[in-house]
């Protein structure tokens, strides 16, 4: 009987260890970053009533945090009309704290900067982007972000 009890305890330990391994594997899979690689067409609206086309190249990965609505992007975020965003070796980190609270930081050579970006609105799929620079310039992929007098031709 003693041997049967020991074997039962060993089986229970194996089941518990196996269960823990399965749970850890599931958590690992859920935490894996999702690669993202796309190029979006956008418009630039300046405070001088100018508008012109640009593109935004995104190449990196998005990682969602478990049990929260937070997520982050790490990789390249190059705005064609904004050279500071694509200096050699410049990478970006975007954090979504909620649907209405995001921030973007650029890293280059050990320096971290917001690169004159005042505000960002980027959805988690990175399809709808609005960036407002400190000088009032707007870079956007959405028609709704165009100032009233501008933007009709690009989005029609």
């Amino acid at each position: 009987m003693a041997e049967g009890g020991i074997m039962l305890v060993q089986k229970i330990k194996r089941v518990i260890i196996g269960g823990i391994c399965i749970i850890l594997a599931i958590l690992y899979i859920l935490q894996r970053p999702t690669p993202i690689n796309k190029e979006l067409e956008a418009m630039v609206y300046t405070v001088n009533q100018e508008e012109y086309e640009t593109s935004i190249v995104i190449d990196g990965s998005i990682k969602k945090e478990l049990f929260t609505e937070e997520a982050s992007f790490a990789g390249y975020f190059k705005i064609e009309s904004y050279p500071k965003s694509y200096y050699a070796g410049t990478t970006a980190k975007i954090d979504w704290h909620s649907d209405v609270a995001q921030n973007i930081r650029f890293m280059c050579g050990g320096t971290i900067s917001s690169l004159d970006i005042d505000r960002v609105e980027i959805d988690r799929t990175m399809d709808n982007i609005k960036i407002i620079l400190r000088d009032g310039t707007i870079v956007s992929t959405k028609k709704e972000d165009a100032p009233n007098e501008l933007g009709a031709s690009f989005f029609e």
Side-chain angles (χ1 to χ4, degrees):
M1 275 259 189
E3 281 185 37
I6 292 173
M7 291 183 69
L8 180 63
V9 169
Q10 288 177 342
K11 285 183 182 182
I12 291 172
K13 283 182 184 179
R14 287 186 190 131
V15 168
I16 291 172
I17 290 172
I20 290 171
C21 288
I22 290 171
I23 290 170
L24 290 175
I26 290 170
L27 290 175
Y28 172 76
I29 290 170
L30 293 174
Q31 283 288 100
R32 276 192 331 208
T34 306
I36 184 168
N37 185 334
K38 61 174 73 178
E39 183 171 353
L40 302 171
E41 295 300 316
M43 288 298 293
V44 177
Y45 307 101
T46 69
V47 293
N48 300 329
Q49 302 286 321
E50 297 176 59
E51 70 175 73
Y52 53 92
E53 293 182 26
T54 192
S55 66
I56 300 171
V57 176
I58 300 165
D59 187 11
S61 60
I62 296 176
K63 183 177 179 184
K64 296 179 178 156
E65 298 297 325
L66 285 179
F67 313 116
T68 70
E69 57 182 66
E70 293 186 7
S72 62
F73 165 83
Y76 295 103
F77 189 89
K78 301 175 183 181
I79 305 167
E80 178 189 0
S81 62
Y82 191 57
K84 289 181 180 182
S85 70
Y86 58 86
Y87 287 144
T90 300
T91 58
K93 178 146 172 58
I94 301 170
D95 294 309
W96 289 272
H97 304 290
S98 69
D99 287 336
V100 294
Q102 303 109 28
N103 63 9
I104 186 169
R105 295 179 311 273
F106 290 88
M107 279 104 17
C108 183
T111 303
I112 299 173
S113 173
S114 64
L115 297 184
D116 301 324
I117 294 175
D118 186 43
R119 194 173 78 211
V120 296
E121 295 174 15
I122 304 173
D123 66 358
R124 292 168 201 259
T125 61
M126 298 184 86
D127 289 322
N128 299 303
I129 296 172
K130 178 181 179 181
I131 297 172
I132 301 175
L133 303 178
R134 288 194 182 108
D135 68 0
T137 300
I138 299 171
V139 179
S140 179
T141 60
K142 300 185 295 187
K143 178 180 181 178
E144 301 81 38
D145 294 331
N148 292 337
E149 308 83 42
L150 300 172
S153 60
F154 178 74
F155 293 103
E156 290 178 351

